[in-house]
Amino acid sequence: MKKYAYVTLLCALLLLVPGTDLLAQATHEITLKVNTANFDKSNPAASCAFEAGEGTIVLVANPPQDFMIQAEVGDTIRWRGVSTNQTGVSVQIRKIKYARGVNIFPQSEIDGENTVQATITKGGTRNDDYKYIISFKINDTGSMYHIDPKIRVN
């Protein structure tokens, strides 16, 4: 009888192992690409574009203020900024701030210095969008600029 229990337990464990990949959390790399040479201070979105890392599902690519990715509870989002056309010019992501929809992160404001990272802790009903504001600086000087894309959590 003990042997049967061990074999049953071993079979049950082996059945669970392949399914663990289905529950793995993903890290989504989101890059804010800024045309710093021709930056439009009155309309920052006109000088920006987003790029998502490999494996991230982009639901809306353009315009940048409508950029939207799909993610899951437990996934981590990492935002970074780059200049598209000037060597030595940096773009610092300083803050991610809740704007509207389901607040999927543990706090309404997430601060950073050059990049910002946060893990999704909750979702809403299916197809709810989370609107957030990215605050960024160019060369760590001057004004703070803002753009407001979205995340959909399933």
Side-chain angles (χ1 to χ4, degrees), residues 6-17:
Y6 287 125
V7 170
T8 303
L9 179 62
L10 181 61
C11 288
L13 289 173
L14 288 174
L15 287 173
L16 290 175
V17 171

Side-chain angles (χ1 to χ4, degrees), residues 41-153:
K41 293 179 180 182
S42 64
N43 183 12
S47 305
C48 296
F50 284 100
E51 182 176 274
E54 188 177 325
T56 298
I57 297 170
V58 176
L59 300 172
V60 178
N62 288 302
Q65 60 270 26
D66 291 336
F67 178 82
M68 182 173 17
I69 65 163
Q70 181 175 312
E72 305 289 333
V73 172
D75 288 359
T76 298
I77 314 292
R78 184 177 303 128
W79 294 268
R80 69 183 192 98
V82 297
S83 171
T84 60
N85 52 7
Q86 288 186 300
T87 304
V89 174
S90 61
V91 175
Q92 299 84 32
I93 306 293
R94 291 306 184 93
K95 182 180 293 193
I96 303 298
K97 183 178 179 182
Y98 169 78
R100 67 175 163 78
V102 175
N103 189 356
I104 61 175
F105 296 117
Q107 61 265 23
S108 294
E109 293 186 11
I110 304 150
D111 295 316
E113 289 295 318
N114 293 309
T115 62
V116 175
Q117 179 173 307
T119 299
I120 298 171
T121 57
K122 57 190 168 249
T125 58
R126 188 155 182 78
N127 296 328
D128 278 348
D129 298 337
Y130 167 73
K131 185 85 165 169
Y132 62 98
I133 300 166
I134 296 177
S135 298
F136 65 98
K137 284 191 164 203
I138 297 172
N139 261 356
D140 206 22
T141 59
S143 299
M144 188 84 74
Y145 303 102
H146 311 281
I147 190 166
D148 55 346
K150 303 172 197 161
I151 298 173
R152 179 171 291 164
V153 178

